[in-house]
Each structure stands twice: as structure tokens, then as C-alpha cells.
Amino acid sequence: MTASAACSEAAPPTALRGVSLASLGVFLVCWALCWLNAYVVNDDLPNACADLRQQSFPPERACASADGTLSGANAGWVEVLFFASLVVFVLFASMTLALAALRRK
């Protein structure tokens, strides 16, 4: 068997795989932005805040004031993009795996 024949028998990249990998990339970029905001930009926030609010998924450190406003929180669009890309990745990756399992039968 030649190398070109072996390459033609391999499964070609599909649109499902492409969307899955693109959404994984967006998820990782959003996670990195949230982590940088929580642990680099707001590094000394615990020393200056009386009511510190922390969450681990997505990473966030925010200081709550008496009137309910938060300072140092992640941008809303970053969190929406974070969760949306995670959902898209899980859905498209599971569809890709299901199709691959069906093709092998």
C-alpha cells in the first residue's frame, strides 16, 4: 500500500471536527482571560476588600460594595462566550464521536 492510498483511507477532517476544535480554542482563550483577570489583574484585591467574592469556574475575584456593585468581576460577554463555547464544544465533540462510532460498524 502506498502512502497516498493510506492517506485517502484515513477519515478526512469534517465540519463537525472543525467547529468542535474552534469552540475549544474559544473556550481556552476565554478561560485564560478570566484567569488572568482573577489572578494577575486582581492579585491584591483580597488585601483591599472587605467582602471578597471568589469563584473557580470560570475563575473570578470580585469585591462587592455595600450597594451591591462588583468591582474586578469578569466582563459579562466573556462569561457568556466561555459557557457558550463550552456547550458547543461538548455537543459537537459528542456528535463527532458518535458519527465515528457509527462509521466503524
Side-chain angles (χ1 to χ4, degrees), residues 47-72:
N47 298 332
C49 181
D51 187 13
L52 182 69
R53 299 191 181 172
Q54 296 190 59
Q55 68 182 30
S56 60
F57 191 78
E60 180 178 61
R61 278 188 189 167
C63 184
S65 61
D67 62 356
T69 59
L70 293 174
S71 61

Side-chain angles (χ1 to χ4, degrees), residues 21-39:
L21 291 175
S23 62
L24 177 63
V26 171
F27 170 76
L28 291 175
V29 167
C30 289
W31 179 82
L33 287 174
C34 291
W35 188 89
L36 285 171
N37 185 39
Y39 297 108

Side-chain angles (χ1 to χ4, degrees), residues 8 16 20 29 31 43 54 63 73-74 80 82 84 86 89-90 96:
S8 66
L16 287 176
S20 177
V29 167
W31 179 82
D43 185 36
Q54 296 190 59
C63 184
N74 294 328
V80 168
F82 178 85
L86 178 61
F89 170 69
V90 168
T96 303

Side-chain angles (χ1 to χ4, degrees), residues 86-105:
L86 178 61
V87 168
V88 168
F89 170 69
V90 168
L91 289 176
F92 277 75
S94 62
M95 284 190 290
T96 303
L97 291 174
L99 282 175
L102 286 175
R103 286 182 185 168
R104 289 185 185 179
K105 286 186 177 183

